[in-house]
């Protein structure tokens, strides 16, 4: 079984308001949200932030895979618990199409999708 890694999750925009969550390749974004949110809190989502680009993470995506895809940029990526609903979901794990090209109608939380998203973020932010 793989050794868990620690995911730092900022609970607000205050850099001192952070928690650390152990994750494995099987950990989903939903699992991380459940560890970080206050009891009874609703409408939270996890977002990844790299430089000035932020992307909401789908509940079925796996943060471990996301970090692996970032490669050498991994240490620059920050994860935030946002205390608001993310974009509307059509189905669990599916997102509507957006004009900026960051999401598509055939969303599936796969390594291929993460890789494509990473490439789009890198092109947009550099």
């Amino acid at each position: 079984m793989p050794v868990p890694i620690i995911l730092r999750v900022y609970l607000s925009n205050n850099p001192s308001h952070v928690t650390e969550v152990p994750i494995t390749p099987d950990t989903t974004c939903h699992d991380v949200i459940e560890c970080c949110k206050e009891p009874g809190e609703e409408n939270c989502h996890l977002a990844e932030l790299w430089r000035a680009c932020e992307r909401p993470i789908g509940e079925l995506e796996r943060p471990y895979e996301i970090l692996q895809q970032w490669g050498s940029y991994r240490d620059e990526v920050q994860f935030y618990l946002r205390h608001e609903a993310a974009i509307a979901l059509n189905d669990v794990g599916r997102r509507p199409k957006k004009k900026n090209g960051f999401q598509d109608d055939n969303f599936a939380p796969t390594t291929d999708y993460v890789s494509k998203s990473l490439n789009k973020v890198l092109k947009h932010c550099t």
Side-chain angles (χ1 to χ4, degrees):
M1 177 146 177
V3 175
I5 61 172
I6 300 300
L7 181 71
R8 292 178 55 91
V9 179
Y10 294 89
L11 304 175
S12 71
N13 288 330
N14 180 343
S16 66
H17 199 199
V18 64
T19 190
E20 294 182 338
V21 180
I23 61 171
T24 68
D26 296 326
T27 305
T28 65
C29 178
H30 176 79
D31 299 330
V32 173
I33 292 169
E34 289 299 313
C35 287
C36 296
K37 72 179 189 174
E38 295 292 327
E41 187 174 13
E42 300 287 330
N43 298 323
C44 294
H45 74 276
L46 197 64
E48 64 179 330
L49 180 68
W50 179 71
R51 298 184 183 173
C53 294
E54 182 169 314
R55 181 183 76 89
I57 303 172
E59 286 200 0
L60 297 179
E61 289 185 67
R62 301 190 186 283
Y64 192 97
E65 283 182 12
I66 293 170
L67 285 172
Q68 297 303 316
Q69 290 296 318
W70 276 104
S72 63
Y73 294 100
R74 175 182 175 168
D75 292 336
E76 296 180 39
V77 178
Q78 296 175 324
F79 292 85
Y80 284 84
L81 180 68
R82 297 298 187 200
H83 303 275
E84 60 194 18
I87 55 173
L89 298 175
N90 292 336
D91 296 311
V92 174
R94 292 178 57 87
R95 297 181 186 163
K97 192 171 198 167
K98 290 184 81 178
K99 291 181 183 178
N100 66 9
F102 281 91
Q103 298 149 355
D104 68 42
D105 287 328
N106 298 315
F107 173 79
T110 63
T111 302
D112 185 51
Y113 174 79
V114 173
S115 179
K116 287 178 183 177
S117 292
L118 172 60
N119 288 333
K120 289 178 184 177
V121 168
L122 289 173
K123 286 178 187 175
H124 178 63
C125 293
T126 54

